[in-house]
Amino acid sequence: PVYLEMFLFDTYEEGIEFLSSYLVKRIAFLTESFANSEPAEPFNPNPGDQYMIMGKQSEKAITVVDRSLTEDALLCIWEPSTTDESQLWEFIPAGNDYFRIMNIHSGLTITGSERGNSLKQSTIDNANSAQEWKIVAVGNDDDVYGIINKKTGYSFDSSGSGISDGNPVIEWDNQISQDKPNQCWHLVKIKSGVTGLHATTSIENIVIYPNPA
C-alpha cells in the first residue's frame, strides 16, 4: 500500500519551512540507521588467546559447574571473575570456519548434547563434530556473536532466558538475533598468548555490558 498525506499551509514560506525541517529530520534518521551498515568483522582469535563468553542478556560468564575437571561436567552462567580459569576459553581452529572451545582450567572442550540439553565439557575428539562450533556475528555489532554447533545446527542458549548464577547453558533452536539476547554472547579477550605459553598479556578488569532490559 502507498501512504498519502496532504498538508495545507497559509503561506508558501510555511510550506518551504515544513519541507526543510522534514528533510533535515529524515536525513538524520537515515544517517543513524545506516551508520553501521557494514557487516561485522568475523571472529578471528590468535593462538593461545583466552576469552570469557559473556551473555549479552545476563552479563554472566559461561563456566564449568563447580569448576569441575571431570569429563561430562555441565556448563552454566556465573558472575564473571577474570581470576577463575574455569571461565576462560581458548578457541582452537577446527577447519572450515569452525572452532573447538577448550576450557583453560580443565583442558576439556565444549560438546553439544542435542536440543534442550546442557552443554558439557569432554576430551577433545577430532572426529566428533558435536565439539565444533561456528562463531557468527549478530547484525552489524562487532562484539556480539551467536555460537552454532556443526553437528546439530543448534545454538548456545541461556536456558529459559535465565540470568541467575547457575542457569544452564543449553543447545536450542537457532534463533540468533538482537531480539534473542539469550543466544547472543560477548567474546571478551582476557589474555593473549601462544598455545602452550598462554598469558603473555592480561587485563585486570573486564567491561560489563549494559543489560538491554
Side-chain angles (χ1 to χ4, degrees), residues 76-95:
C76 68
I77 56 173
W78 202 264
E79 191 67 27
S81 170
T82 57
T83 61
D84 184 356
E85 287 195 336
S86 66
Q87 296 186 5
L88 300 182
W89 306 88
E90 181 177 346
F91 290 78
I92 302 171

Side-chain angles (χ1 to χ4, degrees), residues 9-11 15 43 56 63 67 76 89 91 94-96 100-101 125 130 132 154 168 182 194 196 201 211:
F9 303 94
D10 292 334
T11 66
F43 180 63
K56 178 181 179 182
T63 187
R67 304 186 71 248
C76 68
W89 306 88
F91 290 78
N96 297 317
R100 292 183 177 85
I101 308 174
D125 178 357
E132 297 183 27
Y154 297 135
N182 60 310
V194 178
T201 335
N211 192 328

Side-chain angles (χ1 to χ4, degrees), residues 34-104:
F34 291 99
N36 297 314
S37 59
E38 292 297 320
E41 291 294 321
F43 180 63
N44 188 27
N46 295 313
D49 287 351
Q50 297 178 17
Y51 288 83
M52 273 186 173
I53 307 172
M54 293 187 57
K56 178 181 179 182
Q57 182 178 49
S58 68
E59 301 175 359
K60 302 290 176 71
I62 294 180
T63 187
V64 181
V65 172
D66 295 329
R67 304 186 71 248
S68 176
L69 297 170
T70 61
E71 185 96 4
D72 295 333
L74 303 181
L75 306 188
C76 68
I77 56 173
W78 202 264
E79 191 67 27
S81 170
T82 57
T83 61
D84 184 356
E85 287 195 336
S86 66
Q87 296 186 5
L88 300 182
W89 306 88
E90 181 177 346
F91 290 78
I92 302 171
N96 297 317
D97 298 325
Y98 285 90
F99 294 88
R100 292 183 177 85
I101 308 174
M102 185 186 74
N103 187 261
I104 299 302

Side-chain angles (χ1 to χ4, degrees), residues 3-175:
Y3 177 74
L4 298 175
E5 188 170 3
M6 180 179 292
F7 295 91
L8 298 176
F9 303 94
D10 292 334
T11 66
Y12 175 79
E13 288 74 16
E14 286 181 2
I16 293 299
E17 182 178 353
F18 173 84
L19 181 59
S20 175
S21 175
Y22 170 81
L23 290 174
V24 168
K25 292 177 181 178
R26 188 64 180 170
I27 290 170
F29 169 77
L30 293 174
T31 299
E32 181 179 354
S33 298
F34 291 99
N36 297 314
S37 59
E38 292 297 320
E41 291 294 321
F43 180 63
N44 188 27
N46 295 313
D49 287 351
Q50 297 178 17
Y51 288 83
M52 273 186 173
I53 307 172
M54 293 187 57
K56 178 181 179 182
Q57 182 178 49
S58 68
E59 301 175 359
K60 302 290 176 71
I62 294 180
T63 187
V64 181
V65 172
D66 295 329
R67 304 186 71 248
S68 176
L69 297 170
T70 61
E71 185 96 4
D72 295 333
L74 303 181
L75 306 188
C76 68
I77 56 173
W78 202 264
E79 191 67 27
S81 170
T82 57
T83 61
D84 184 356
E85 287 195 336
S86 66
Q87 296 186 5
L88 300 182
W89 306 88
E90 181 177 346
F91 290 78
I92 302 171
N96 297 317
D97 298 325
Y98 285 90
F99 294 88
R100 292 183 177 85
I101 308 174
M102 185 186 74
N103 187 261
I104 299 302
H105 182 59
S106 67
L108 303 176
T109 192
I110 297 178
T111 304
S113 302
E114 299 293 340
R115 185 179 187 269
N117 296 321
S118 293
L119 300 179
K120 62 184 180 180
Q121 63 175 11
S122 306
T123 301
I124 293 177
D125 178 357
N126 291 334
N128 186 358
S129 61
Q131 295 183 356
E132 297 183 27
W133 304 89
K134 179 168 283 188
I135 315 302
V136 296
V138 179
N140 299 317
D141 197 330
D142 280 332
D143 59 20
V144 179
Y145 298 88
I147 305 176
I148 304 171
N149 189 261
K150 181 178 182 179
K151 180 179 180 180
T152 64
Y154 297 135
S155 303
F156 273 31
D157 184 292
S158 184
S159 181
S161 296
I163 60 174
S164 301
D165 285 348
N167 196 68
V169 181
I170 65 172
E171 276 191 277
W172 197 251
D173 300 337
N174 179 1
Q175 299 171 324

